[in-house]
């Protein structure tokens, strides 16, 4: 069936899709009743208005409280000035703005060609994505952190590196997981950006220590290492490598450490390859995937870090693969094994999102850049090319100062002064904008031409929800 071409037909189709999505999101995945936001809000109000301690607060009727670094509590202080409803509305608007920004960065300037119709279809698809549903209905902060990290991705890709690292540093100070992006900067040998990110994270942590010295002392000496504050590792929402082991009954820290080191080693190799060809989008996507795998706890809503990977797949000309994997992440399928994850079916099904994350880390395409931002590599055909009709022109141009290099490049396809072919391997170009805008310094700096349940479950919410916000590692 072909999509309608007339505006009226498109509008009717969009309205029908929006209605179906609304029914689905209102009935299938239970709303989370802003549980994580209520943790943040209650913590800040208890701290400011009641003289309580940050890490002593618990949501009434539950054992769950605040487990982010102290800087996160400092950033959330404005919530003490408003009511809970205002905080909820503000959180929704901030998450929506962060989502729009993240999509804009991942898709790139060509998003305009799709117009209102494409934007409407994308909105319907995003509304079905379980990690996004949970992020909004929990009032979580992961989308905001993703947006901060993508700011740095755009700066690095465009060559405007003066402020690169600030976003990553702030994100790492709010939550520990984004600190892996500092590792990416080190792997990429972007020493200045890595230094900026580290300095920003350290400064933010120091600020929190000045504002809340007791909370900072307690967090870094006790709360961070107290795994009982994190929640059940075998809970089906935990889609990390640790979660897989926990559901298998494997408690060995050594086994988990080996898996983590293997994932980090593979990530470092692939990320460095991506940076070497100027593919910062793939490098950041790989880092987000790895962060989800190696974190001891990765609740379903943390998987918003997978969004850049789908943009990379589409850019690489694999929309069907992207669509299939994305569809699985819209189904809440892991919750079918909420009560019992035993057997082969339980092993495969309850860890479905982990398998997707792991598969993307292993096979995500790297180096598929748009035509205007292709990496330059030596071409054997160029170096072995026979004399051409342009040879006389080259000879004549050799008498003109500065003209030889340009004429030679035109005839041979070799970039003067580099010995590098200006063409591109046919396997590299996908013909799609990368989303990380063109500019000098991209790649190697060369200038190129043109409910209360903690996750989206289909089951009734438990009496004591396992809040995804109360995780020290999240």
């Amino acid at each position: 069936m072909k999509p309608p071409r007339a505006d009226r037909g498109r509008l009717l189709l969009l309205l029908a899709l929006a209605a179906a999505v609304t029914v689905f999101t209102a009935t299938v995945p239970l709303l989370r009743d802003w549980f994580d936001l209520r943790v943040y809000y209650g913590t800040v109000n208890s701290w400011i208005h009641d003289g309580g301690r940050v890490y002593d607060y618990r949501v009434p009727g539950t054992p769950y409280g605040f487990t982010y670094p102290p800087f996160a509590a400092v950033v959330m202080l404005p919530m003490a000035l408003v009511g809970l409803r205002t905080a909820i509305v503000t959180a929704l608007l901030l998450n929506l703005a962060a989502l729009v920004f993240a999509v804009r960065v991942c898709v790139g300037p060509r998003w305009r060609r799709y117009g209102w119709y494409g934007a409407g279809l994308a909105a319907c698809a995003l509304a079905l994505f379980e990690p996004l549903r949970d992020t909004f209905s929990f009032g979580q902060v992961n989308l905001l952190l993703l947006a901060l990290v993508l700011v740095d991705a755009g700066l690095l890709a465009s060559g405007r590196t003066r402020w690169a690292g600030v976003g990553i540093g702030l994100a790492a100070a709010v939550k520990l997981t984004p600190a892996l992006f500092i590792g990416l900067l080190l792997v990429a040998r972007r020493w200045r950006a890595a230094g900026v990110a580290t300095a920003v994270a350290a400064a933010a942590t120091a600020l929190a220590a000045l504002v809340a010295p007791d909370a900072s002392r307690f967090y870094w000496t006790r709360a961070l290492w107290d795994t009982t504050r994190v929640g059940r590792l075998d809970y089906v929402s935990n889609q990390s490598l640790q979660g897989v082991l926990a559901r298998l009954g494997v408690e060995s820290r050594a086994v988990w450490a080996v898996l983590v080191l293997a994932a980090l080693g593979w990530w470092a190799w692939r990320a460095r390859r991506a940076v070497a060809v100027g593919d910062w989008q793939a490098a950041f996507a790989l880092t987000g995937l790895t962060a989800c795998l190696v974190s001891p706890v990765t609740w379903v809503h943390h998987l918003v870090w997978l969004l850049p990977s789908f943009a990379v797949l589409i850019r690489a000309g694999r929309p069907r693969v992207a669509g299939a994997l994305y569809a699985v992440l819209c189904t809440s399928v892991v919750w079918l094994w909420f009560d019992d994850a035993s057997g082969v079916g339980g092993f495969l099904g309850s860890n479905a999102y982990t398998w997707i994350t792991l598969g993307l880390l292993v096979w995500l395409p790297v180096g598929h850049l748009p035509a205007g931002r292709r990496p330059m590599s030596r071409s054997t055909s160029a170096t072995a090319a026979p004399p051409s009709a342009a040879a006389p022109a080259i000879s004549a141009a050799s008498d003109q100062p500065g003209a030889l290099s340009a004429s030679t490049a035109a005839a041979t396809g070799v970039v003067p002064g580099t010995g590098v072919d200006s063409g591109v391997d046919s396997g590299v170009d996908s013909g799609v904008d990368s989303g990380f805008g063109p500019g000098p310094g991209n790649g190697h700096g060369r200038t190129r031409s043109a409910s209360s349940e903690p996750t989206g479950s289909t089951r009734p919410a438990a009496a004591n929800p396992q809040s995804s916000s109360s995780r020290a590692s999240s």
Side-chain angles (χ1 to χ4, degrees), residues 24-92:
F24 175 81
T25 55
T27 59
V28 177
L30 299 177
L31 294 177
R32 303 301 158 218
D33 195 27
W34 325 110
F35 188 91
D36 291 4
L37 182 62
R38 288 193 287 119
V39 171
Y40 312 150
Y41 184 84
T43 298
V44 170
N45 277 276
S46 173
W47 177 27
I48 299 302
H49 298 305
D50 302 329
R53 296 193 298 180
V54 171
Y55 297 101
D56 285 348
Y57 175 80
R58 296 291 184 272
V59 175
T62 79
Y64 307 116
F66 196 82
T67 59
Y68 295 167
F71 180 68
V74 173
V75 171
M76 296 173 185
L77 279 175
M79 284 196 290
L81 305 175
V82 300
L84 179 58
R85 290 185 179 180
T86 302
I88 291 173
V89 172
T90 302
L92 286 173

Side-chain angles (χ1 to χ4, degrees), residues 82-351:
V82 300
L84 179 58
R85 290 185 179 180
T86 302
I88 291 173
V89 172
T90 302
L92 286 173
L93 293 177
L94 287 175
N95 273 325
L96 183 60
L99 176 60
V100 171
F101 175 80
V103 171
R104 169 65 181 83
V105 171
C106 290
V107 174
R110 293 193 176 184
W111 67 273
R112 297 183 184 88
R113 69 168 57 180
Y114 302 105
W116 63 269
Y117 181 63
L121 292 177
C124 290
L126 289 170
L128 295 174
F129 193 53
E130 184 178 358
L132 283 177
R133 299 196 314 256
D134 279 2
T135 294
F136 277 91
S137 62
F138 273 119
Q140 256 287 341
V141 299
N142 291 295
L143 267 178
L144 300 175
L145 302 184
L146 175 61
L148 283 174
V149 167
L150 289 180
V151 168
D152 282 344
L155 292 175
L156 289 166
S158 64
R160 300 188 298 270
T161 58
R162 180 178 180 182
W163 298 103
V166 173
I168 291 174
L170 289 173
V174 172
K175 271 188 161 183
L176 300 182
T177 304
L180 186 61
F181 288 90
I182 300 179
L184 171 62
L185 298 177
L186 294 174
V187 167
R189 298 182 180 180
R190 296 303 177 101
W191 311 121
R192 186 181 187 281
V196 169
T198 303
V200 169
T205 302
L207 173 63
L210 290 175
V211 175
D214 292 339
S216 295
R217 188 181 306 109
F218 179 81
Y219 178 81
W220 296 109
T221 60
R222 293 182 59 185
L224 175 62
W225 316 104
D226 184 3
T227 57
T228 62
R229 298 178 63 93
V230 178
R232 282 175 36 219
L233 294 177
D234 64 342
Y235 189 51
V236 73
S237 179
N238 184 14
Q239 291 293 306
S240 67
L241 294 174
Q242 178 75 286
V244 174
L245 292 177
R247 283 185 286 277
L248 286 174
V250 178
E251 299 180 357
S252 172
R253 291 281 183 177
V255 173
W256 176 66
V258 169
L259 292 178
V260 166
L261 289 175
L264 289 174
W266 183 262
W267 158 76
W269 176 67
R270 298 213 70 208
R272 189 163 184 177
R273 281 188 62 197
V275 172
V277 296
D279 194 351
W280 280 101
Q281 186 175 19
F284 271 74
L286 288 167
T287 306
L289 294 167
T290 306
C292 290
L293 289 170
V294 303
S295 175
V297 174
T298 296
W299 307 123
V300 170
H301 66 260
H302 293 170
L303 298 180
V304 294
W305 292 100
L306 271 61
L307 284 175
S309 300
F310 293 107
V312 171
L313 285 172
I314 294 172
R315 184 193 66 185
R318 301 180 185 178
R320 292 183 179 179
V321 175
L325 298 179
Y326 189 91
V328 174
L329 284 161
C330 293
T331 61
S332 301
V333 64
V334 296
W335 295 97
L336 295 175
W337 289 270
F338 177 82
D339 292 321
D340 183 11
S342 61
V344 176
F347 175 69
L348 297 175
S350 67
N351 303 308

